[in-house]
Amino acid sequence: MVRLDDGTKGTGVERVVEVLVRRGRYRLMASPLRIDGVRFELDAVLEGPGRQRHTVLVADGAAPEAAGVPHRIRALALLLERAESARPLTLVWLDGDGKGRPPLEDLCRVVAVDPHRDDDDLAERLASLLPLELPEPPEPVGSVEGLLNRRLEDADDSVTAALRAAAASGTEPVRSALIQILEDAHPLAEPSGEEE
């Protein structure tokens, strides 16, 4: 049975299990896995994430018994199909070069990871199995009108008052108010007709 390590690097299987348990809220299931009285020896079996019931199998492709894993996965998938299980099944295959990955995509999803990578890269490789981490939502702004009114509350000038009054009637009155404000601020000199 795989145990979670206490901060030491551990084996590749232990590191994968640690990422799935800590970041993905998976639960480590009893080993060996037993379904309808049939025993399945695998490096680790997890269920999750959270309350979901996806089954994740972890197998070390470099282990001597790795050659029998595809046969065990096929037998397990067949047994689950006969039991009419709707659980998604995923195999996390630990293999440094990815060349020994078993062709099991017709039975389950296969996620190949390099067990020699650092923890962040390992988590990135397992990202498809991990729940999304969403940022905290910002405080609600409310309506644009309310935001504008709060920002202009302290403005106590004739320009702001004229624009706020015009805004209640639409864009044309605002345009006219802006033109009037500009003309009042900088009146255009009337042509006198005399040339110098």
Side-chain angles (χ1 to χ4, degrees):
M1 175 146 180
V2 172
R3 64 171 179 76
L4 294 180
D5 64 25
D6 56 0
T8 59
K9 278 291 184 190
T11 68
V13 172
E14 288 172 341
R15 291 177 61 227
V16 166
V17 168
E18 184 172 357
V19 168
L20 292 174
V21 168
R22 294 208 177 141
R23 293 190 186 186
R25 299 184 319 269
Y26 282 83
R27 296 167 305 285
L28 192 58
M29 295 173 67
S31 182
L33 180 64
R34 291 181 187 276
I35 299 177
D36 285 342
V38 180
R39 243 173 87 139
F40 293 94
E41 291 282 344
L42 296 156
D43 292 318
V45 180
L46 297 104
E47 182 180 64
R51 294 182 186 181
Q52 295 180 34
R53 298 184 51 97
H54 298 250
T55 302
V56 177
L57 313 169
V58 182
D60 187 352
E65 58 277 353
V69 169
H71 175 70
R72 281 178 265 176
I73 300 294
R74 287 186 192 287
L76 176 61
L78 182 62
L79 185 62
L80 291 173
E81 184 180 332
R82 286 186 179 164
E84 297 181 0
S85 173
R87 283 181 177 222
L89 186 62
T90 300
L91 170 65
V92 177
W93 182 257
L94 282 74
D95 189 5
D97 59 9
K99 293 179 182 169
R101 177 180 171 165
L104 297 171
E105 284 80 8
D106 58 326
L107 301 172
C108 65
R109 178 169 56 162
V110 179
V111 177
V113 298
D114 183 351
H116 306 295
R117 300 289 186 144
D118 64 19
D119 289 344
D120 288 335
D121 187 56
L122 188 60
E124 185 176 318
R125 299 283 180 170
L126 295 170
S128 65
L129 300 174
L130 302 176
L132 291 177
E133 294 178 11
L134 299 175
E136 290 296 319
E139 290 295 318
V141 175
S143 70
V144 174
E145 183 180 357
L147 178 63
L148 184 59
N149 285 336
R150 284 192 298 280
R151 296 250 172 120
L152 296 176
E153 278 178 350
D154 297 333
D156 190 27
D157 58 62
S158 61
V159 172
T160 303
L163 288 175
R164 287 178 77 179
S169 301
T171 56
E172 273 310 310
V174 170
R175 188 184 323 248
S176 298
L178 279 172
I179 291 170
Q180 186 61 48
I181 290 167
L182 291 173
E183 285 178 354
D184 291 347
H186 299 289
L188 295 175
E190 294 289 326
S192 61
E194 296 177 19
E195 295 206 15
E196 296 180 20

